């Protein structure tokens, strides 16, 4: 596993102390790619620097994005963390299993741990941009963890997987970037809506199931091209039907 290919993405973090603590955890385990999506807190304030201790350089080098899709555009696999279960939120991995999946991808591309807001986590539309979901098995009496603690657990498991993966670089699948995969999903939504398979009032209801299926499979560039070829063929057939 290449540690430089592991990004930590915080969506709208609210506490500067948490951001600083995340940086310290990242430096503890040898990771440096911090991405902040619309941070509510000032990540360069004194509180953040105090908690970062010797990891202030990570604060100063953090990438700032206006939306999660942009933050993930160069990544090939994203793990979205959540404690909420239910519709559209199923088939969860624990951090150790998620880290093992990361290990096989980082040799050929970038991956991302995605963490939500301290008070309400990630929204369903944000989880749509993640291929797999991760939950930390906590006790029902106090299920929600502090943001920095959650990041620390996930990065600890990532560092363990990195150590196990050293020297095991052969025969690994190269995943498409999330930007390429998302383009395929947008094409898919348009095509399947046009042919009447998706409900135009709520196309994401069924599309989210496809996102989970393809997310578990992991798509490489060739597979994305094949799928887009299928959508293009359906587009052509639908246009022929309309012309007649």
């Amino acid at each position: 596993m290449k540690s430089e290919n592991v990004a930590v993405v915080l969506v709208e973090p609210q506490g500067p102390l948490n951001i600083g603590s995340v940086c310290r955890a990242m430096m503890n385990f040898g990771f440096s790619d911090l991405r902040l999506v619309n941070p509510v807190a000032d990540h360069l304030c004194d509180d953040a620097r105090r908690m970062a201790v010797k990891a202030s350089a990570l604060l100063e080098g953090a990438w700032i994005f206006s939306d999660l899709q942009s933050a993930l555009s160069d990544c090939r696999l994203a793990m979205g963390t959540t404690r909420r279960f239910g519709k559209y939120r199923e088939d969860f991995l624990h951090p150790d299993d998620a880290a093992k999946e990361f290990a096989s991808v980082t040799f050929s591309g970038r991956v991302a741990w995605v963490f939500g807001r301290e008070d309400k986590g990630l929204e369903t539309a944000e989880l749509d941009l993640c291929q797999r979901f991760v939950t930390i098995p906590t006790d029902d009496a106090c299920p929600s963890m502090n943001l920095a603690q959650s990041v620390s657990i996930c990065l600890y498991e990532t560092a363990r997987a990195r150590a196990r993966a050293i020297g095991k670089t052969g025969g690994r699948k190269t995943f498409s970037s999330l930007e390429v995969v998302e383009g395929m999903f947008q094409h898919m939504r348009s095509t399947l809506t046009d042919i009447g398979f998706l409900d135009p009032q709520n196309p994401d209801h069924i599309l989210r199931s496809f996102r989970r299926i393809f997310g578990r499979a992991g798509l490489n560039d060739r597979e994305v091209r094949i799928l887009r070829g299928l959508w293009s063929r359906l587009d052509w057939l639908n246009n022929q039907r309309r012309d007649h």
Side-chain angles (χ1 to χ4, degrees), residues 1 3 6 8 26-27 29-33 58 155 158-159 162:
M1 177 185 288
S3 59
V6 178
V8 174
M26 290 176 67
M27 192 168 184
F29 295 111
F31 302 101
S32 59
D33 187 348
L58 271 67
L155 293 185
T158 308
R162 176 182 59 196

Side-chain angles (χ1 to χ4, degrees), residues 9-59:
V9 183
L10 308 183
V11 177
E12 297 186 355
Q14 300 162 312
L17 298 177
N18 269 331
I19 299 174
S21 296
V22 166
C23 287
R24 184 173 183 177
M26 290 176 67
M27 192 168 184
N28 285 151
F29 295 111
F31 302 101
S32 59
D33 187 348
L34 176 63
R35 305 181 181 199
L36 307 178
V37 178
N38 286 327
V40 176
D42 177 7
H43 67 290
L44 296 176
C45 71
D46 290 342
D47 283 344
R49 291 180 184 276
R50 184 170 66 254
M51 293 304 294
V53 191
K54 295 182 179 180
S56 292
L58 271 67
L59 288 172

Side-chain angles (χ1 to χ4, degrees), residues 79-93:
M79 299 281 184
T81 57
T82 181
R83 267 296 305 176
R84 297 206 304 271
F85 309 102
K87 194 174 183 181
Y88 307 130
R89 295 171 185 245
E90 51 192 18
D91 189 26
F92 288 87
L93 297 173

Side-chain angles (χ1 to χ4, degrees), residues 86-202:
K87 194 174 183 181
Y88 307 130
R89 295 171 185 245
E90 51 192 18
D91 189 26
F92 288 87
L93 297 173
H94 286 168
D96 56 336
D97 293 320
K100 291 174 186 175
E101 290 202 15
F102 270 165
S104 65
V105 180
T106 57
F107 291 100
S108 59
R110 195 174 302 279
V111 301
W113 284 106
V114 184
F115 300 88
R117 304 155 187 83
E118 288 94 327
D119 57 348
K120 58 183 180 179
L122 293 168
E123 298 175 353
T124 299
E126 292 163 341
L127 285 170
D128 282 346
L129 299 172
C130 302
Q131 286 63 57
R132 302 302 303 270
F133 301 158
V134 177
T135 191
I136 298 172
T138 53
D139 192 86
D140 290 341
C142 187
S144 181
M145 291 189 68
N146 169 269
L147 173 61
Q149 292 173 333
S150 299
V151 173
S152 296
I153 288 174
C154 292
L155 293 185
Y156 165 71
E157 293 295 351
T158 308
R160 288 185 67 216
R162 176 182 59 196
R164 290 192 297 265
I166 292 175
K168 301 178 181 179
T169 60
R172 301 183 186 278
K173 184 176 182 180
T174 301
F175 290 5
S176 287
S177 71
L178 300 191
E179 184 175 32
V180 170
V181 174
E182 188 60 28
M184 186 277 292
F185 278 123
Q186 298 307 317
H187 188 176
M188 184 180 184
R189 178 193 281 115
S190 175
T191 298
L192 297 188
T193 301
D194 284 347
I195 66 174
F197 183 80
L198 298 181
D199 179 359
Q201 300 303 314
N202 187 19

